[in-house]
Amino acid sequence: MRSRIVYGVLGVVIFVLGGITTQHTTAQSANNQAGPSTLYAGTFTYQGELVSNGTAINSVCDFQFSLYSVASGGTQLGSTQTALNVNVQKGRFSVELDAGLNGPFGEAFTGGDRWLGIAVRCPAGTGSYTTLNPRQKITAAPYALSLKPGAVVRSAEPVNSIFTASNLGTSGNGLVGYGATSGVYGEGTSQSNETYGVYGTTGSSSTAASAVYGRNNGTGYGVYGLSSGYDGVFGESTRVSGNGVHGVANNGESAYGVWGQSTNGRGVVGNSTAGTGVSGFSNSSSGVTGSSSSGSGVTGSTSSGSGLFGFSTSGNGVYGYSSNNYGVNGVSGVEVGVQGSGPNGGVRGFSTDNTGVWGQSENGSGIIGVSGGNYPSIWGFTGSSNPAVKGQQNGSGTGSGVEGIAISGNGIVGSSQSGYAGMFYGSVNVTGAINAAVKNFRIDHPLDPANQYLQHASVESDAMKTIYDGVAVLDSDGKAVVNLPDWFESLNGDFRYQLTALNAPGPGLYIAAEIKQNQFTIAGGSAGSKVSWQVTGIRHDPYAVANPLQVELTKPLTEQGTYLAPEGYGHAAAKGVDARYRSAIKNPPSIPSIDVPTAPAQELEQELQRKLERR
């Protein structure tokens, strides 16, 4: 019976703010038009008025909804949606339809016109469905028109975010974009410093929540910012351990987590009130790479943390290159100016004219190197007459030019195959023992000081022996009292004496009184004659008593089987106790070379231009 009733419907499609889930949108400029993109809506509400022969229906009815791209005929898009037990009062009803990606309509909303086909049966659950005519055209809300494919979004104020039904929480994304060129493209035309091309903010405390997140799988950039007056990209984090700007790259040596370039200012500037201004992490290349033709390749400054911090699992934590200034420049008021960690070099700086890496601290250490493997903490190479490592004290304090401290090893080790292992221009002070195979004395040769040295060997003994001598004149009784320094007996003991008459024989000379109260007496000579005397003693001062000379001692386990002079005992030089130091000179650790382009700044600009052209 119902099938013979003529139904009519007046329908309205209502899009509810927050009810549209935009999962894939494209924002484009007029110069970058693209074809229609699929717009994935979440749900929308359809309201209508149902009448039968001019009379409004009051009942519970079932509805079927089908989607078409034409007003009549054509092929149905997706599948039919059914709404059961819909309450119809005075002809009016309201139905919520699913337009999601995985819903019955599928990927039907691509920007073209759409019509809704409706069938109804009343009362619900009985009889067959009656198709209503004509189909109802789905129209967009006025503000939604600005989001059609190819449209340009413009606003006098920064666009804070576009909220969606599934993202009204604090951990979602404000705006998500996908595209063949730019996922999200924003442009601010105002000259005000407060104008942003793209502005993102998040109140989430989650470590995975980003105010702006960009990802690129092609040849472009995850985030690209261009400014003619202020910051191309500005990142700020108020979280205690958050990052102002965080960049990640995992694809090849030419891929950078963060890329910054400037013809006059700074390529990348990072500012954080508590965390890290700029943090770079890389699995294969450099965490942070900087290049400059006149300023600093990378500059970091902080009042409390690390000026620059870089970490890499296989490349360089921080890499800086400058053709005129500093490769890496890090400044910290309290902690570490530059801190880098990496298996091939924590911090590496190169400069063709000045300093590759410069470390300066007002209170702590300018540069600290820490190594837990087979590499030295700080390693210097040079191929010229300049020193590989140099320390200088400028005279404004009491510090040392170079200081070496070791708990169980050697404070300072020097080794050379052709020069001196150690060279000192000035006085040398040693508080402990000096061990050497030969101890020489050398001065300018008195007869040819400009061209020759005069060299003597030191006197050696099996005891800590001291030698004193002099000439005494005998008195009228043929005696002489020799006075020694007041510290003589405090330093020496076990004395030995020698007397030699001068100018005439003295067979009767003898020691009349041995050393007591720092003096001794000579007797048995002729009045007025001269006597040359010599006294030797053995040290018995506190240091000598606490550190007695061991004439024969067993070599340490690490030196057993080696020789100070292996060739003298018929062994090769490899058996020398210093062989490992000589080997280090011949075969230094394999340190990756620094790739220095002929014109680094120009080449970087060309590489950037190529990347821009590929966009």
Side-chain angles (χ1 to χ4, degrees):
M1 174 178 179
R2 285 292 179 184
S3 61
R4 294 193 296 271
I5 300 176
V6 178
Y7 290 97
V9 64
L10 175 62
V12 178
V13 179
I14 298 177
F15 291 91
V16 180
L17 181 63
I20 305 172
T21 304
T22 306
Q23 299 177 353
H24 191 172
T25 63
T26 301
Q28 303 155 1
S29 67
N31 297 327
N32 191 20
Q33 297 289 338
S37 298
T38 302
L39 301 177
Y40 300 134
T43 59
F44 66 89
T45 300
Y46 180 83
Q47 292 182 352
E49 184 174 358
L50 185 66
V51 296
S52 175
N53 296 323
T55 302
I57 298 297
N58 289 285
S59 182
V60 177
C61 305
D62 297 331
F63 289 84
Q64 289 181 338
F65 297 90
S66 305
L67 195 66
Y68 298 86
S69 60
V70 291
S72 62
T75 302
Q76 180 178 342
L77 303 177
S79 58
T80 301
Q81 290 195 49
T82 300
L84 302 176
N85 300 316
V86 177
N87 189 23
V88 181
Q89 294 293 328
K90 296 182 180 180
R92 296 175 182 175
F93 65 92
S94 177
V95 178
E96 188 175 89
L97 299 179
D98 182 3
L101 174 64
N102 299 318
F105 293 158
E107 300 181 17
F109 295 96
T110 59
D113 291 336
R114 296 291 181 264
W115 280 264
L116 200 61
I118 306 173
V120 63
R121 65 180 181 184
C122 293
T126 61
S128 59
Y129 285 90
T130 299
T131 300
L132 306 181
N133 287 307
R135 295 172 182 169
Q136 301 295 302
K137 186 175 183 180
I138 298 177
T139 58
Y143 283 109
L145 291 173
S146 64
L147 296 179
K148 65 183 180 180
V152 177
V153 180
R154 300 187 184 275
S155 174
E157 299 295 331
V159 179
N160 291 325
S161 59
I162 297 177
F163 293 100
T164 61
S166 62
N167 292 335
L168 289 178
T170 59
S171 60
N173 300 305
L175 176 62
V176 177
Y178 296 83
T181 54
S182 300
V184 176
Y185 178 88
E187 180 179 353
T189 58
S190 172
Q191 298 300 314
S192 169
N193 289 341
E194 298 300 323
T195 299
Y196 307 97
V198 174
Y199 178 87
T201 179
T202 177
S204 173
S205 60
S206 170
T207 57
S210 301
V212 175
Y213 175 84
R215 180 178 183 180
N216 181 69
N217 296 323
T219 58
Y221 304 96
V223 175
Y224 176 83
L226 176 64
S227 174
S228 58
Y230 208 62
D231 300 311
V233 174
F234 177 84
E236 180 180 3
S237 174
T238 57
R239 182 182 172 89
V240 174
S241 58
N243 300 310
V245 175
H246 180 93
V248 179
N250 298 298
N251 193 15
E253 294 183 357
S254 61
Y256 301 102
V258 176
W259 175 286
Q261 178 180 351
S262 175
T263 56
N264 190 26
R266 294 178 172 87
V268 176
V269 175
N271 180 27
S272 177
T273 57
T276 303
V278 175
S279 177
F281 297 86
S282 175
N283 293 328
S284 60
S285 186
S286 300
V288 176
T289 294
S291 175
S292 174
S293 58
S294 61
S296 299
V298 178
T299 296
S301 176
T302 178
S303 59
S304 61
S306 299
L308 287 174
F309 175 81
F311 175 81
S312 174
T313 57
S314 63
N316 302 305
V318 176
Y319 175 87
Y321 175 85
S322 175
S323 60
N324 191 34
N325 208 293
Y326 302 112
V328 175
N329 182 10
V331 181
S332 175
V334 176
E335 206 169 302
V336 181
V338 177
Q339 182 174 344
S341 175
N344 294 330
V347 176
R348 182 163 60 169
F350 181 88
S351 176
T352 58
D353 190 47
N354 206 293
T355 303
V357 176
W358 174 282
Q360 179 177 348
S361 175
E362 297 296 329
N363 191 31
S365 300
I367 295 177
I368 294 179
V370 179
S371 174
N374 296 324
Y375 292 93
S377 298
I378 297 178
W379 184 285
F381 286 91
T382 180
S384 65
S385 59
N386 295 318
V389 176
K390 180 178 180 179
Q392 180 174 331
Q393 198 272 342
N394 288 328
S396 58
T398 59
S400 303
V402 174
E403 184 174 307
I405 300 173
I407 303 302
S408 58
N410 299 307
I412 296 177
V413 173
S415 177
S416 175
Q417 286 186 315
S418 58
Y420 294 105
M423 176 70 77
F424 301 93
Y425 295 98
S427 301
V428 177
N429 182 54
V430 179
T431 60
I434 296 178
N435 300 317
V438 177
K439 298 179 288 297
N440 291 335
F441 150 83
R442 176 184 292 182
I443 62 171
D444 293 326
H445 197 296
L447 300 182
D448 188 9
N451 301 303
Q452 295 186 63
Y453 290 115
L454 183 64
Q455 185 166 280
H456 288 176
S458 302
V459 176
E460 298 173 356
S461 172
D462 61 351
M464 296 185 190
K465 190 179 292 293
T466 57
I467 302 175
Y468 305 86
D469 56 22
V471 175
V473 179
L474 302 182
D475 59 15
S476 57
D477 295 327
K479 294 182 179 181
V481 176
V482 178
N483 292 306
L484 301 169
D486 56 5
W487 42 260
F488 193 83
E489 289 183 85
S490 297
L491 175 64
N492 304 290
D494 196 11
F495 302 110
R496 303 289 188 272
Y497 307 85
Q498 285 189 2
L499 301 174
T500 303
L502 301 178
N503 302 321
L509 290 175
Y510 68 99
I511 301 297
E514 294 188 51
I515 295 174
K516 188 175 183 181
Q517 295 182 344
N518 301 313
Q519 65 180 25
F520 68 96
T521 303
I522 302 172
S526 302
S529 63
K530 293 182 178 180
V531 178
S532 173
W533 60 267
Q534 184 181 82
V535 174
T536 63
I538 304 300
R539 286 177 52 186
H540 64 189
D541 58 279
Y543 183 86
V545 173
N547 300 275
L549 178 63
Q550 290 181 266
V551 179
E552 296 178 296
L553 64 158
T554 303
K555 292 182 178 180
L557 290 176
T558 57
E559 296 179 8
Q560 289 185 11
T562 64
Y563 303 84
L564 294 172
E567 296 86 352
Y569 292 93
H571 296 286
K575 282 288 189 178
V577 69
D578 60 348
R580 67 189 181 104
Y581 299 111
R582 293 181 178 272
S583 175
I585 296 174
K586 291 180 180 178
N587 306 297
S590 178
I591 304 296
S593 60
I594 298 178
D595 248 347
V596 183
T598 306
Q602 289 84 345
E603 290 195 6
L604 285 174
E605 291 174 358
Q606 292 171 5
E607 183 179 350
L608 177 59
Q609 185 61 37
R610 288 193 295 269
K611 288 188 175 183
L612 291 174
E613 290 172 355
R614 289 196 296 267
R615 289 170 60 83

